[in-house]
Amino acid sequence: MGPLAIETIGLTRHFAGRAAVDDLTLTIPAGKVFGFLGPNGAGKTTTVRMLTALIAPLGGTACVAGYRLGENDEALRRAVGILTETPGLYDRLSARQNLTFFAQLYDLDSRKAAMQTERYLRTLELWGRRDDPVGGFSRGMRQKLAIARALLHEPEVVFLDEPTVGLDPEASKIVRDFVRELRAEGRTIFLTTHNLADADELCDLIGIFQGRLLHLDTPAGLRAELFGEGTRITLAGDAAPWVPTTEALSFVRSAAATGDLLTVALDAPDDQNPTLVAALVATGAPVRYVTPQEHTLEEVYLQLLGNARETRQLVGAGR
């Protein structure tokens, strides 16, 4: 593993006696997009507020962008950018005036501030509205302006809380492409979102969180852990007669038929598919299509949260 952008050990925060974040231990390599997923009230925003030195933990430690939380919080804040769920902007100021003001707060000189303002307003397709008061902006335009504000000072680590909320499909694509551009520049992105398609598309690493970190892996790793790997074979006709032929192969873990679809669980589909298909064709199976067995990140997410809920209920019943 390369250098770490974020590392936490036992990070904990309580409110009114309830653990909002409980013993969070997490490592995120530099230059990766990390998706932090969980239901409302799971403690995601509290985690972000601790990692950006806006509130202090009650236990544990964290290091962000090379700065240890509680030791050099001012430097840590300057090394990160943050898009909050409800970003504050000055409605009477224009888009350019808003960014110029916030650039001054980061001690950017006037030339650098002007360059950065133009760069990000153009990138996020707001340059044509640069001198319009922000009060007249749509929700999506305000969201894009807030993203620009978070990037003005070129932070090493960027926290984006629901960056595509309120955006139309075209604007959402602009933001997704922008996140990829930031990753290509070597930035680390800490992304919280309820848009699981965005998380699946953008994230190198996924953490599923509900007060505690339940699972941490790549999107592909989470799928494999929960559902395993496999192949779907579409036949010209009923697939059921070909289940015994399929299950007779030593490397097949299981097979099931639904209509014309034969679903086969395998350990190494890329290596085993040719033998599987050849065996079916040799016995007369009318194979039409062969596709990977894919599960959406939404299926994975809901299944893992459901498993965690069942575990908590069992533990509670045991008490």
Side-chain angles (χ1 to χ4, degrees):
M1 183 183 292
L4 297 178
I6 299 172
E7 181 179 20
T8 75
I9 301 173
L11 202 64
T12 300
R13 177 78 193 207
H14 295 87
F15 292 104
R18 185 183 69 84
V21 177
D22 186 15
D23 193 30
L24 176 61
T25 297
L26 173 67
T27 56
I28 302 173
K32 301 295 184 182
V33 179
F34 172 72
F36 199 47
L37 310 183
N40 289 331
K44 303 187 301 298
T45 298
T46 298
T47 301
V48 170
R49 292 175 68 195
M50 285 192 288
L51 294 179
T52 52
L54 297 179
I55 61 173
L58 298 182
T61 62
C63 188
V64 180
Y67 298 101
R68 188 158 298 281
L69 193 63
E71 294 181 3
N72 198 342
D73 287 352
E74 183 176 349
L76 189 157
R77 294 187 195 104
R78 289 180 176 274
V80 304
I82 180 170
L83 169 72
T84 60
E85 191 172 1
T86 53
L89 297 165
Y90 293 101
D91 287 352
R92 294 184 180 181
L93 300 182
S94 69
R96 177 155 49 185
Q97 288 171 331
N98 263 277
L99 294 189
T100 298
F101 171 74
F102 286 108
Q104 292 172 345
L105 297 183
Y106 285 109
D107 293 331
L108 300 185
D109 61 48
S110 58
R111 179 175 174 274
K112 181 72 170 177
M115 289 176 56
Q116 292 294 88
T117 295
E118 181 173 352
R119 174 193 174 188
Y120 287 115
L121 288 178
R122 287 189 182 278
T123 298
L124 292 167
E125 299 191 358
L126 291 173
W127 184 246
R129 301 290 300 274
R130 60 190 179 276
D131 292 322
D132 293 351
V134 170
F137 280 17
S138 67
R139 182 179 180 183
M141 292 170 63
R142 295 172 70 91
Q143 186 79 343
K144 290 195 290 184
L145 183 61
I147 293 171
R149 184 186 68 183
L151 273 297
L152 279 173
H153 58 301
E154 303 290 5
E156 299 174 39
V157 180
V158 184
F159 293 84
L160 300 178
D161 192 355
E162 297 288 349
T164 59
V165 68
L167 302 186
D168 60 36
E170 183 179 2
S172 294
K173 183 180 184 303
I174 291 170
V175 171
R176 289 195 301 271
D177 290 343
F178 188 43
V179 170
R180 293 189 189 93
E181 180 182 327
L182 294 173
R183 176 173 54 190
E185 293 174 357
R187 315 283 185 91
T188 303
I189 312 296
F190 191 108
L191 174 68
T192 69
T193 181
H194 288 112
N195 188 325
L196 299 184
D198 280 357
D200 204 2
E201 183 178 341
L202 295 172
C203 295
D204 303 295
L205 193 63
I206 296 284
I208 296 180
F209 185 78
Q210 191 168 20
R212 299 178 64 91
L213 187 63
L214 304 178
H215 293 272
L216 177 67
D217 207 334
T218 64
L222 290 173
R223 287 187 177 89
E225 175 188 346
L226 190 60
F227 296 109
E229 295 188 84
T231 295
R232 291 178 176 176
I233 300 175
T234 303
L235 302 171
D238 187 13
W242 308 105
V243 171
T245 300
T246 304
E247 290 182 328
L249 298 170
S250 61
F251 55 81
V252 170
R253 290 190 284 111
S254 67
T258 305
D260 63 354
L261 183 65
L262 182 65
T263 303
V264 186
L266 302 168
D267 291 322
D270 289 347
D271 297 330
Q272 295 163 344
N273 278 342
T275 304
L276 169 62
V277 173
L280 287 168
V281 171
T283 55
V287 175
R288 297 182 63 193
Y289 308 110
V290 179
T291 56
Q293 178 181 330
E294 295 181 341
H295 294 272
T296 66
L297 186 59
E298 181 178 9
E299 290 177 285
V300 173
Y301 170 80
L302 292 175
Q303 181 68 51
L304 291 174
L305 282 183
N307 291 349
R309 190 175 299 114
E310 289 176 7
T311 299
R312 287 197 301 272
Q313 288 172 348
L314 288 172
V315 171
R319 291 176 183 173

